Amino acid sequence: DIGVTIADPQLSGQPLIAMSQGFQVLSGYQTHELTGRNLRICDQSADAETMFDLRNSCKTGASFTGMFEGRRKSGENCLTLLNMLGLSVAEDIVTGEEVWFLIGLHADVSNLEEEEGGIPVDELSAFNQSATEIRNRLIDTFAWMAIEGAMAFRANQKGVATGAWRLLPRPKWRNGMTTQSTPYPASPSLDADVETLSSFHVSLTSSSQNSSRKASPSR
């Protein structure tokens, strides 16, 4: 399964403010159970270096890819690949600072074999390449869902100001990656657009199975 999460790093704990249906399936939690929580709800764990890089990404919006052992709501263990990157969508009129959000792409790789020492290089490369293509294709959908999610979440929180934002001419990824983005759409649908992620999952699984078949004689 594939899922998308959007978190607000401007707020304490980087709460989730939007997610796709795919992430609800992956985690076993429904939207109302996830909104306002962070990914720790999935009891994710990884090695110290991965966790350090993840915390840095949460603070700065820097690009991050890592594998995590987690647990679904049902208690079932799972293995997921997470690709995360900050997306700037507006400027705070008062402070002049960029308003940005954390966009996470999650792939369930529980059925894939992990090589000793980390993620197989070919699988990691395929994942990152697909994540880049997805981000380019859905940047406006991600941006609008982040804005709508942030406004709705903040409006329901006592003592949390929504702020005054000026939308950027184009949303932009915080790693400097450029896209052929069009102006913000009027009514995007994350759940509909994110169906394009399925092609990545099929290709990743096929690649892994082929690699395993080729490697089996030498074991």
Side-chain angles (χ1 to χ4, degrees), residues 7-11 17 86-102 143 146-147 150-151 154 161-168 170-174 184:
D8 190 340
Q10 279 79 220
L11 300 181
I17 56 172
L87 178 63
S88 297
V89 302
E91 178 184 276
D92 188 298
I93 294 177
V94 177
T95 66
E97 297 179 349
E98 283 190 352
V99 177
W100 58 279
F101 298 90
L102 287 164
I147 294 169
M151 292 293 99
R154 291 174 182 223
T162 55
W165 300 347
R166 179 186 298 110
L167 293 182
L168 299 178
R170 295 287 187 274
K172 59 181 181 180
W173 298 107
R174 288 179 70 85
Y184 293 80

Side-chain angles (χ1 to χ4, degrees), residues 52-211:
F52 176 85
D53 291 341
L54 175 62
R55 285 191 290 270
N56 179 63
S57 179
C58 290
K59 292 179 181 178
T60 67
S63 179
F64 166 83
T65 301
M67 181 175 284
F68 293 85
E69 295 179 356
R71 185 172 290 107
R72 308 185 206 279
K73 182 181 178 181
S74 64
E76 177 188 6
N77 293 329
C78 60
L79 195 64
T80 60
L81 266 174
L82 167 63
N83 177 281
M84 192 161 64
L85 183 61
L87 178 63
S88 297
V89 302
E91 178 184 276
D92 188 298
I93 294 177
V94 177
T95 66
E97 297 179 349
E98 283 190 352
V99 177
W100 58 279
F101 298 90
L102 287 164
I103 313 298
L105 305 181
H106 307 254
D108 185 352
V109 293
S110 300
N111 295 326
L112 304 184
E113 295 184 8
E114 182 181 5
E115 295 180 352
E116 184 177 357
I119 307 169
V121 174
D122 57 342
E123 292 176 17
L124 181 59
S125 177
F127 179 65
N128 285 330
Q129 180 178 353
S130 295
T132 298
E133 294 173 356
I134 291 164
R135 293 184 185 284
N136 281 333
R137 188 162 60 245
L138 302 183
I139 184 172
D140 287 307
T141 297
F142 292 151
W144 196 257
M145 292 302 293
I147 294 169
E148 286 192 333
M151 292 293 99
F153 179 75
R154 291 174 182 223
N156 291 321
Q157 301 300 304
K158 294 182 179 179
V160 178
T162 55
W165 300 347
R166 179 186 298 110
L167 293 182
L168 299 178
R170 295 287 187 274
K172 59 181 181 180
W173 298 107
R174 288 179 70 85
N175 66 346
M177 181 174 68
T178 58
T179 70
Q180 297 299 316
S181 171
T182 56
Y184 293 80
S187 57
S189 171
L190 179 58
D191 284 338
D193 288 343
V194 83
E195 291 179 3
T196 57
L197 299 177
S198 61
S199 61
F200 153 71
H201 194 235
V202 171
S203 64
L204 178 61
T205 304
S206 299
S207 173
S208 175
Q209 291 174 343
N210 291 335
S211 298

